[in-house]
Amino acid sequence: MVVPLSFKHAVRGQVGGAMIEARGLTKRYGRTVAVESLSFTVQPGRVTGFLGPNGAGKSTTMRLILGLDRPSSGDVLIDGKHYRDLHSPLRYIGALLDAKWVHPNRSARAHLKWLARSNGLPKRRVDEVLELVGLTNVAKRKAGGFSLGMSQRLGIAAALLGDPQILLFDEPVNGLDPEGIHWIRQLMKRLAAEGRTVFVSSHLLSEMAQTADELVVIGRGKLIAQSTTGEFVERASGTSVRVRTPQLERLRTALAGTAGTTVRVDEGALLVNGMTSDQVGEVAATQGVVLHELSPQRGSLEEAFMRLTGDAIEYHAEEAGEHLHMQGTSGGAKE
Amino acid sequence: MSVLGAERIKLFSTKSPWWSSLATVVFVVGFGMIFLLTTASLVREDGPAVPFRVGVSTTQQGIFFGQMVILVMAALAITTEYRFNTIKTTFQAIPGRTSVMLSKALIIGLLAAVLGEIAAFASWGLGRLLVTDFDLTIRTADQWRQVAGAGLVFAITAIIGLAVGALTRHTAGAVTALLVWAMLGEQLIGAIPRVGDKIQPWLPFNAGGHFLGVGPNQNEGAQTGTDLPYNAWGAVAYFAGVAVVLFLVAVLVVNRRDA
Ligand SMILES: Nc1ncnc2c1ncn2[C@@H]1O[C@H](COP(=O)(O)OP(=O)(O)O)[C@@H](O)[C@H]1O
Ligand SMILES: [Mg+2]
């Protein structure tokens, strides 16, 4: 199924496309500093991942971009303008921050209809986006009865309504089934390929590694890195390889002799940093060493990422805080 | 204009405003008729001894109950947006929060005005059918005001409900505050010995009621013959003033705080 995403033109954004620019963005809620002196840019034509553990300030940053919350200091510009100064903002920037932000008794269609109306978008656009996300058949049903996957699709329909050059998605794959995850990943890539600016958050490096070309990484409200995904993954994971062999000492000596490589013994195995598994295998072959295991350590990715974004203990403390915060907001006591 | 259109779609695409509208009319007419029939039979039995008389404004005594439904409906128009977080979607689509508030005020105010007219004339019309031995014909300008004025009073009432809803952001909080104020607070304050009578005219809902010839200030009633500091139009102007001030504060607060 290939439905054109754009009702104007997909080519538009390629030249000097729209971007997001945060400049010294800071947001405090009482004594909590949610975001601190955050500066980054999001460029068109690629998927930019916004990565950070839970409570790092991703959702806050997204709300600041959309002018929903006011920064304590600094600002963020969309195409050089503040969000509040955009006329018909849905034509510039579409966002899915939370799929449940719909009135449960309003039909999907009515939800999109008032949004379209608010920005002077044609009515037929509502049907187009419903078709695009595959909700045409349930358009008249109340949004409150939708599954998470359907709500997510409705949210994406809303984001695409104004055919915007910039798209924000806050943890879009959370809680989705594999099919839904695949669909969203493909969609984001397609949007970026059309020259749009796509900014998507996640707390999982493994997720971002599959979708994002570029990463903005934050931890506890502060910028940790902005780089290409490849660079960051390499930095985060190193190139750790796990080897088991009966001739442990022999292999260790051989590997340690190679420049830029560190080797450590871990539960009767060797953990090699600074070499690919191919290279380790070759060294073993030249030494005539028997190997019982040779595995690249992808599992260490998230752990290494946690190390980069703030140590694990503080992370858990923050996670507990986040939990409390969620309870607070579901009670509605949000300021 | 597009903001207004969006707010209109929003209001009428859920069921609760329809039910509220129906309830408003039913309350006004229902309570109005009970009051009218009771008063009429009392006057018939006891004649001039009873300190009431039956006139056009007697058909309008259910207005207050309709007003309470309007308060709740108007508050809900914004508190449900906070409850379901659609307020964020709203401000994302329309970053100009003042225009969102103005549009809401206009739509809900208009709906309230229409309901006020329907309810008031329905009460009067039905009253005339049910009670034929008293003269219920609208003749004077005062009588016209007492019936046709309901739309204006309901519109002002809606603005108060909306403002309080926006300030509290919670359905329960807003509804409690509004109903306690209108149904209980004003009555209790008015009942305070000596000072109560002096404050009474400055209680907003009393003032609004006075414009329609209903409530404790009414001249035709038995309760007070006190000199009021305003005439009917002054009373409604005061009521409107209170609504405008509340609404301006709400707009200011909505603009300043996080969505
Ligand atoms: N409205 C709010 N009021 C108070 N604290 C908040 C609010 N929103 C976020 N926070 C706090 O700010 C921090 C960042 O939260 P958030 O932006 O939701 O992080 P993330 O989306 O990365 O998980 C957390 O400590 C959270 O508790
Ligand atoms: Mg978040």
Side-chain angles (χ1 to χ4, degrees):
Chain A
M1 177 189 74
V2 183
V3 183
L5 284 167
S6 174
F7 74 112
K8 284 175 228 139
H9 250 280
V11 208
R12 190 175 60 176
Q14 296 286 6
V15 252
M19 60 178 216
I20 305 171
E21 191 186 359
R23 304 184 302 192
L25 206 53
T26 301
K27 178 66 183 178
R28 283 179 221 99
Y29 296 105
R31 298 181 59 205
T32 315
V33 184
V35 171
E36 197 174 348
S37 320
L38 202 55
S39 298
F40 60 86
T41 54
V42 185
Q43 303 281 357
R46 57 186 106 153
V47 176
T48 303
F50 191 27
L51 183 65
N54 284 323
K58 302 179 298 293
S59 301
T60 302
T61 305
M62 296 251 179
R63 288 196 303 273
L64 291 169
I65 294 172
L66 297 173
L68 293 174
D69 288 14
R70 264 175 204 283
S72 306
S73 64
D75 60 357
V76 55
L77 299 177
I78 292 107
D79 247 347
K81 292 191 202 96
H82 288 122
Y83 192 88
R84 287 197 186 202
D85 297 330
L86 293 176
H87 186 68
S88 299
L90 300 184
R91 292 170 186 265
Y92 293 87
I93 175 164
L96 169 57
L97 262 51
D98 188 324
K100 288 291 169 194
W101 288 357
V102 289
H103 193 301
N105 292 335
R106 195 173 279 136
S107 73
R109 191 155 203 289
H111 176 71
L112 295 172
K113 235 171 90 180
W114 77 256
L115 273 173
R117 186 61 200 269
S118 72
N119 275 239
L121 300 164
K123 262 201 205 119
R124 83 185 136 78
R125 187 61 191 156
V126 169
D127 299 316
E128 281 174 20
V129 290
L130 279 169
E131 176 78 45
L132 182 69
V133 299
L135 288 182
T136 307
N137 292 333
V138 293
K140 289 207 172 92
R141 269 173 49 187
K142 287 179 183 176
F146 281 12
S147 67
L148 180 64
M150 287 158 84
S151 299
Q152 210 82 0
R153 281 167 188 261
L154 178 58
I156 285 169
L160 296 174
L161 200 56
D163 190 24
Q165 275 304 298
I166 306 178
L167 288 136
L168 304 186
F169 300 106
D170 194 9
E171 311 245 8
V173 302
N174 260 16
L176 290 190
D177 55 18
E179 192 210 354
I181 293 175
H182 179 75
W183 183 78
I184 288 190
R185 281 183 192 152
Q186 293 309 311
L187 178 77
M188 288 189 299
K189 286 182 180 158
R190 209 157 102 210
L191 290 164
E194 289 176 344
R196 295 173 211 255
T197 306
V198 181
F199 193 42
V200 52
S201 79
S202 173
H203 63 280
L204 297 173
L205 178 53
S206 51
E207 169 58 32
M208 288 286 88
Q210 299 198 48
T211 5
D213 308 300
E214 172 103 10
L215 285 179
V216 172
V217 187
I218 63 168
R220 278 181 269 145
K222 289 185 200 148
L223 187 73
I224 285 168
Q226 172 160 22
S227 68
T228 65
T229 307
E231 271 167 28
F232 185 79
V233 166
E234 202 166 305
R235 214 182 109 197
S237 62
T239 37
S240 171
V241 181
R242 186 181 154 87
V243 216
R244 277 195 306 118
T245 167
Q247 297 133 289
L248 194 104
E249 231 5 80
R250 178 144 171 222
L251 184 61
R252 197 178 78 92
T253 323
L255 289 168
T258 319
T261 307
T262 54
V263 187
R264 91 195 141 77
V265 183
D266 178 50
E267 291 170 14
L270 292 176
L271 274 179
V272 189
N273 273 305
M275 248 188 210
T276 65
S277 53
D278 294 8
Q279 288 168 323
V280 174
E282 279 155 24
V283 171
T286 50
Q287 296 291 322
V289 169
V290 176
L291 294 185
H292 289 170
E293 182 189 344
L294 177 64
S295 56
Q297 293 301 286
R298 304 304 295 176
S300 67
L301 205 61
E302 296 297 340
E303 226 174 84
F305 160 58
M306 298 307 299
R307 239 181 287 125
L308 281 169
T309 53
D311 57 77
I313 292 166
E314 279 189 73
Y315 164 69
H316 286 305
E318 288 216 345
E319 200 173 33
E322 164 87 351
H323 184 63
L324 284 175
H325 160 66
M326 306 251 288
Q327 286 183 332
T329 53
S330 66
K334 196 162 182 177
E335 179 60 38
Chain B
M1 269 335 273
S2 47
V3 185
L4 212 57
E7 287 301 327
R8 197 203 64 226
I9 297 172
K10 246 194 257 177
L11 185 65
F12 293 112
S13 56
T14 61
K15 287 217 181 81
S16 77
W18 296 103
W19 286 113
S20 308
S21 298
L22 187 67
T24 305
V25 177
V26 168
F27 276 31
V28 171
V29 176
F31 284 104
M33 290 312 100
I34 293 170
F35 189 87
L36 174 69
L37 294 174
T38 321
T39 313
S41 76
L42 279 174
V43 174
R44 270 183 218 117
E45 281 164 28
D46 297 352
V50 188
F52 311 123
R53 64 185 197 87
V54 177
V56 171
S57 74
T58 320
T59 63
Q60 302 297 307
Q61 300 297 322
I63 285 290
F64 180 73
F65 299 95
Q67 238 180 315
M68 297 305 104
V69 185
I70 295 287
L71 278 178
V72 174
M73 177 174 78
L76 278 169
I78 189 145
T79 55
T80 47
E81 288 233 37
Y82 279 101
R83 164 144 179 240
F84 298 121
N85 279 309
T86 53
I87 195 74
K88 296 197 176 81
T89 320
T90 297
F91 290 151
Q92 186 197 327
I94 312 144
R97 298 184 185 182
T98 305
S99 70
V100 171
M101 288 296 286
L102 285 172
S103 303
K104 277 192 191 297
L106 203 68
I107 298 287
I108 200 90
L110 265 173
L111 173 64
V114 170
L115 290 174
E117 295 306 322
I118 293 173
F121 280 99
S123 276
W124 170 73
L126 192 61
R128 257 168 65 111
L129 288 178
L130 295 179
V131 175
T132 48
D133 51 341
F134 290 95
D135 182 13
L136 297 181
T137 316
I138 300 176
R139 290 201 174 82
T140 66
D142 277 350
Q143 288 170 329
W144 273 111
R145 188 196 71 233
Q146 286 167 357
V147 180
L152 180 59
V153 169
F154 275 25
I156 297 168
T157 304
I159 305 298
I160 292 178
L162 181 67
V164 173
L167 287 169
T168 60
R169 290 183 282 186
H170 291 109
T171 304
V175 169
T176 310
L178 286 164
L179 295 187
V180 166
W181 166 16
M183 299 185 83
L184 211 66
E186 295 208 352
Q187 265 68 2
L188 290 180
I189 291 171
I192 298 171
R194 296 175 57 198
V195 283
D197 276 356
K198 295 209 175 58
I199 306 173
Q200 187 133 298
W202 302 111
L203 299 171
F205 287 96
N206 271 344
H210 177 68
F211 178 70
L212 300 178
V214 299
N217 278 350
Q218 58 175 308
N219 286 325
E220 338 183 306
Q223 293 97 324
T224 63
T226 48
D227 295 317
L228 292 167
Y230 43 57
N231 64 13
W233 288 97
V236 83
Y238 172 70
F239 187 42
V242 171
V244 167
V245 169
L246 268 176
F247 182 69
L248 289 180
V249 171
V251 169
L252 208 77
V253 168
V254 165
N255 268 294
R256 291 190 54 173
R257 72 187 167 199
D258 294 334

